[in-house]
């Protein structure tokens, strides 16, 4: 009786399993809105790179601390506002293809405007 695990050639290329799945829970959208982010050291007006129901990423000219707490303010079309508390999830330095360092954060708690944001993203 043959044992496939023992009989296989270890130098033979292995058929790759499925490609890695996207781990994001929510789709990302480009959204041109005003954004303010405050941490313990800074209050910055930033360009939103992308946004979802779960968080956002921005171009950040100053370093944010991974796992750092932040306050996020967004001004949506029509003057509606979103305020949320968040946490920095990742920080990336600038590459030649990008126009500055980036930071990604997840929303931890909405203070104001959660439904308005969800409605806007649902219509995007």
């Amino acid at each position: 009786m043959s044992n496939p695990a023992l009989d296989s050639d270890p130098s033979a290329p292995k058929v790759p399993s499925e490609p890695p799945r996207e781990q994001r829970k929510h789709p990302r959208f480009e959204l041109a809105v005003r954004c303010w982010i405050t941490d313990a050291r800074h209050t910055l007006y930033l360009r939103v790179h992308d946004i979802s129901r779960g968080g956002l990423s921005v171009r950040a000219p100053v370093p944010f601390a991974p796992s750092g707490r932040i306050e996020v303010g967004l001004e949506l079309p029509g003057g509606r506002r979103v305020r949320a508390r968040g946490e920095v999830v990742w920080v990336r330095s600038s590459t030649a293809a990008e126009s500055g360092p980036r930071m990604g954060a997840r929303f931890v708690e909405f203070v104001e405007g959660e439904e308005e944001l969800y409605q806007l993203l649902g219509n995007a």
Side-chain angles (χ1 to χ4, degrees):
M1 176 149 68
S2 166
N3 183 336
L6 297 176
D7 294 342
S8 63
D9 178 2
S11 64
K14 302 207 182 323
V15 176
S17 60
E18 291 182 32
R21 287 186 178 170
E22 178 64 53
Q23 294 184 2
R24 295 176 174 169
K25 293 179 181 179
H26 307 286
R28 301 305 196 247
F29 299 96
E30 290 183 10
L31 188 62
V33 297
R34 294 181 185 206
C35 174
W36 289 267
I37 296 184
T38 302
D39 70 359
R41 299 172 297 167
H42 311 97
T43 296
L44 300 172
Y45 173 69
L46 300 168
R47 176 181 173 268
V48 172
H49 183 265
D50 62 38
I51 191 167
S52 75
R53 289 176 174 243
L56 54 72
S57 71
V58 296
R59 303 233 180 259
V62 299
F64 283 91
S67 300
R69 301 286 181 209
I70 59 172
E71 300 283 328
V72 177
L74 302 169
E75 189 175 307
L76 303 180
R80 296 172 293 171
R81 295 182 184 272
V82 175
R83 291 187 318 132
R85 293 181 183 92
E87 178 182 32
V88 176
V89 178
W90 54 264
V91 178
R92 291 189 192 139
S93 59
S94 182
T95 66
E98 295 183 329
S99 62
R102 286 195 33 217
M103 178 270 291
R106 70 180 180 93
F107 297 130
V108 174
E109 175 187 17
F110 283 91
V111 177
E112 174 186 5
E114 179 177 15
E115 291 303 316
E116 288 85 352
L117 177 62
Y118 290 175
Q119 183 180 24
L120 183 63
L121 294 178
N123 293 330

